[in-house]
């Protein structure tokens, strides 16, 4: 049995939304996270649930362990997720501060996808030279994780060797 691919999930700009036009607020609600108000997407939880049969989800955010203190209940997820911890003093000139932690967690060959609103040229170059299948999905911070992203991720996972299309799970409405 093969390992499912990993889906590294950023939070700010993917689940915690910002930068929308004042007259076009997306679905969601404000949540107090350690004294800071975050506008959490009203659809991201269902999309993450739908991706769980196809991926091993991992928080990939500066929120680190704080993600599990606030997000599973707010998003309707069944449990806490593993999370990455990051070097507090990233190497100078390093293109993206998350890459070392992603490499350490996933290794060189395991298939992975990474959804984030801040992929840069260093991320794209890293993805191109990885040995394992790699998909970068970029979100707009005003809308975050949407149906098109979730569908693209499921199709990609299903097309991997040994992959199979999955039936998405969602929470009852």
């Amino acid at each position: 049995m093969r390992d499912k691919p990993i889906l590294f999930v950023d939070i700010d700009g993917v689940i915690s939304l910002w930068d929308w036009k004042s007259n076009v607020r997306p679905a969601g609600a404000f949540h107090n996270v350690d004294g800071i108000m975050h506008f959490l997407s009203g659809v991201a939880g269902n999309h993450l649930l739908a991706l769980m049969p196809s991926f091993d989800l991992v928080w990939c955010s500066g929120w680190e362990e704080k993600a599990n203190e606030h997000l599973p209940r707010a998003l309707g997820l069944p449990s806490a997720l593993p999370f990455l911890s990051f070097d507090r003093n990233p190497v100078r000139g390093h293109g993206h501060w998350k890459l070392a932690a992603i490499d350490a967690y996933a290794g060189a060959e395991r298939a992975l996808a990474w959804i984030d609103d801040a992929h840069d040229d260093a991320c794209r170059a890293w993805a191109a030279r990885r040995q394992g299948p790699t998909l970068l999905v970029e979100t707009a911070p005003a809308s975050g994780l949407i149906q098109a992203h979730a569908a693209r991720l499921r199709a990609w996972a299903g097309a991997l060797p040994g992959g199979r299309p999955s039936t998405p799970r969602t929470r009852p409405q």
Side-chain angles (χ1 to χ4, degrees):
M1 190 163 173
R2 75 168 179 101
D3 287 333
K4 291 191 283 188
I6 298 170
L7 175 57
F8 290 104
V9 182
D10 182 38
I11 298 169
D12 295 318
V14 176
I15 295 167
S16 178
L17 308 180
W18 53 278
D19 200 32
W20 65 83
K21 293 184 182 358
S22 62
N23 62 340
V24 189
R25 186 165 83 179
F30 284 99
H31 292 264
N32 186 329
V33 178
D34 291 341
I36 300 170
M37 295 305 289
H38 286 266
F39 187 83
L40 299 184
S41 167
V43 299
N46 269 339
H47 293 314
L48 292 175
L49 284 170
L51 291 164
M52 285 180 156
S54 301
F55 289 93
D56 290 332
L57 274 56
V58 176
W59 297 125
C60 182
S61 168
W63 288 40
E64 295 181 348
E65 74 281 353
K66 292 286 186 189
N68 284 325
E69 294 175 18
H70 300 280
L71 294 180
R73 190 179 76 224
L75 298 174
L77 302 179
S79 63
L81 299 177
F83 61 90
L84 297 184
S85 293
F86 300 99
D87 183 355
R88 293 293 171 218
N89 298 305
V91 177
R92 299 187 117 223
H94 191 52
H96 201 290
W97 58 278
K98 296 179 181 179
L99 294 176
I102 291 170
D103 277 338
Y105 190 94
E109 296 182 7
R110 185 158 178 200
L112 70 84
W114 175 17
I115 188 163
D116 201 310
D117 69 318
H119 293 134
D120 60 13
D121 289 340
C123 298
R124 288 181 277 282
W126 165 84
R129 69 177 174 266
R130 270 194 90 244
Q131 292 174 345
T134 305
L135 175 66
L136 301 181
V137 176
E138 190 156 349
T139 63
S143 54
L145 174 59
I146 59 173
Q147 176 60 38
H149 300 130
R152 180 177 177 208
L153 286 159
R154 280 193 311 275
W156 179 81
L160 292 172
R164 59 187 178 282
S166 64
T167 304
R169 316 187 309 195
T170 57
R171 65 177 173 230
Q173 295 295 324

